[in-house]
Amino acid sequence: MIVSRITTQKKNKNRYNIFIKTNEIESFGFGIHEDLLIRHAIRKGMEISQSEIDEIKKQDAIHQYYTLSINYLSYRMRAESEMVDYLVKKEATEEEIAFVMEKLIQEKLIDDVAFSEAYVQTKINTTSKGPNKIKQELMQKKISPATIDDAMEKYSKEIEVEKAAKLLGKKIRPSNRESFRTQLNKAKQSMLQQGYQMDAIQMAIEEIDLEKDDDAEKEALYHQGEKIWMKQARKHEGGMLIQKVKASLYQKGFQGDLIEQFIDEKLNEEVES
């Protein structure tokens, strides 16, 4: 087989089409990147065997996957598992993936240790996620447990408590028409789901001296109490009505003295009416 013609590809000026003539019949042979064209000194009129063509195609495929990988890395750092998944989606073979990954790792373009450290620091700086959530995300990226543990040292208890305190300040507001205890329990549950540890949450509560606003608490109870009273009064009266209202307000986290005060006022209203 003879290389009969070499042309530049229209959509990519760094790639070339190689045409082969066999028994005076010309046909398209293969595409190749400029780097490999030079490396193999491919030129018009040279003889080339099928085995050489196969090897060049293999090298070119690897070169293309490597180039795709570099572009994929240009947006942000990637974990080793992310890069492998990306190459699988691009239909690279196991052999091609192994070769590309080895090259990327050798060049320090893929480094799970550096990735994990950067990932943790970025999440600390840009999100409200707790350490357990970030650790879970790294596990999903198939980072080794030892590497995760080392990276998570960046997320100190001091940082966790500081971030937890800020979150609590946002989640618990005097204007909310729920009891302080209900708000606090909801905040704790939400923060546990965000990856905060209970000891850090408790430390945050103590640090910001979180206490209920008595006026807001009373306003919330009366707001909830009126709705509950109206609902239960449709079905009950007398002692049963009072019992049902008390039970509902206790479930919503209000304290007994405020509940009793509300009940007394409602009973006085009924006597006066």
Side-chain angles (χ1 to χ4, degrees):
M1 292 182 287
I2 305 295
V3 175
S4 59
R5 188 158 49 103
I6 301 174
T7 62
T8 305
Q9 293 185 0
K10 293 181 179 180
K11 293 184 179 181
N12 189 340
K13 301 301 181 182
N14 293 320
R15 291 189 61 79
Y16 294 83
N17 294 322
I18 308 300
F19 292 86
I20 304 296
K21 184 176 287 187
T22 306
N23 297 327
E24 301 302 318
I25 299 175
E26 185 182 72
S27 61
F28 173 76
F30 54 91
I32 187 172
H33 191 273
E34 182 178 38
D35 292 345
L36 293 175
L37 182 78
I38 295 170
R39 186 187 307 169
H40 291 276
I42 298 174
R43 61 199 181 280
K44 183 178 179 180
M46 73 175 288
E47 292 185 1
I48 191 168
S49 66
Q50 186 59 53
S51 61
E52 288 175 319
I53 291 175
D54 292 341
E55 179 60 26
I56 290 171
K57 285 182 177 180
K58 176 182 174 182
Q59 292 179 20
D60 187 64
I62 291 172
H63 188 282
Q64 288 189 68
Y65 287 125
Y66 176 78
T67 302
L68 285 171
S69 299
I70 295 299
N71 182 64
Y72 189 53
L73 286 166
S74 68
Y75 299 99
R76 65 168 177 83
M77 295 176 71
R78 307 284 178 178
E80 185 174 334
S81 65
E82 289 181 301
M83 184 58 73
V84 171
D85 290 343
Y86 173 75
L87 291 171
V88 168
K89 288 179 182 178
K90 292 298 180 179
E91 300 183 349
T93 66
E94 289 185 9
E95 183 181 5
E96 290 164 345
I97 292 172
F99 188 92
V100 171
M101 291 302 299
E102 182 180 1
K103 185 173 176 64
L104 292 172
I105 291 170
Q106 285 178 348
E107 295 172 346
K108 297 294 183 181
L109 296 173
I110 290 290
D111 184 337
D112 274 358
V113 172
F115 170 83
S116 299
E117 291 176 352
Y119 189 89
V120 172
Q121 191 62 59
T122 298
K123 294 299 180 182
I124 291 173
N125 295 341
T126 63
T127 75
S128 58
K129 294 178 180 178
N132 287 345
K133 186 70 173 178
I134 297 173
K135 186 174 182 179
Q136 183 183 41
E137 291 175 353
L138 287 172
M139 290 172 65
Q140 291 172 347
K141 295 181 184 296
K142 302 177 183 177
I143 306 296
S144 73
T147 299
I148 292 175
D149 289 341
D150 289 343
M152 290 306 301
E153 290 182 5
K154 287 183 172 292
Y155 207 139
S156 66
K157 185 62 68 176
E158 181 181 359
I159 292 173
E160 184 182 4
V161 172
E162 180 182 349
K163 292 175 74 66
K166 289 180 180 179
L167 265 181
L168 281 169
K170 294 178 181 178
K171 291 179 179 293
I172 300 178
R173 298 180 180 277
S175 60
N176 197 302
R177 289 184 172 180
E178 290 181 318
S179 70
F180 174 80
R181 191 169 73 180
T182 296
Q183 291 185 66
L184 185 57
N185 288 339
K186 285 185 176 180
K188 286 180 179 179
Q189 187 60 38
S190 174
M191 292 171 70
L192 286 171
Q193 292 174 350
Q194 287 179 270
Y196 289 89
Q197 301 173 90
M198 182 56 78
D199 64 335
I201 296 173
Q202 290 298 142
M203 291 168 68
I205 292 172
E206 295 170 6
E207 183 176 290
I208 62 177
D209 194 23
L210 199 59
E211 295 181 356
K212 67 177 182 292
D213 182 309
D214 290 337
D215 291 336
E217 188 80 354
K218 184 176 180 179
E219 181 182 345
L221 183 144
Y222 276 66
H223 174 77
Q224 297 290 343
E226 289 292 347
K227 292 194 296 183
I228 293 169
W229 186 280
M230 289 178 62
K231 179 181 178 181
Q232 295 297 335
R234 299 190 191 104
K235 299 178 288 185
H236 306 285
E237 60 182 19
M240 182 58 70
L241 171 61
I242 293 171
Q243 183 179 335
K244 291 288 185 180
V245 172
K246 282 184 177 181
S248 294
L249 289 172
Y250 274 123
Q251 289 176 353
K252 290 184 178 294
F254 294 105
Q255 292 183 329
D257 56 342
L258 274 180
I259 295 173
E260 292 295 340
Q261 182 180 336
F262 171 75
I263 295 295
D264 289 343
E265 290 186 16
K266 291 302 294 181
L267 292 175
N268 289 335
E269 287 176 9
E270 290 192 350
V271 171
E272 291 174 0
S273 62

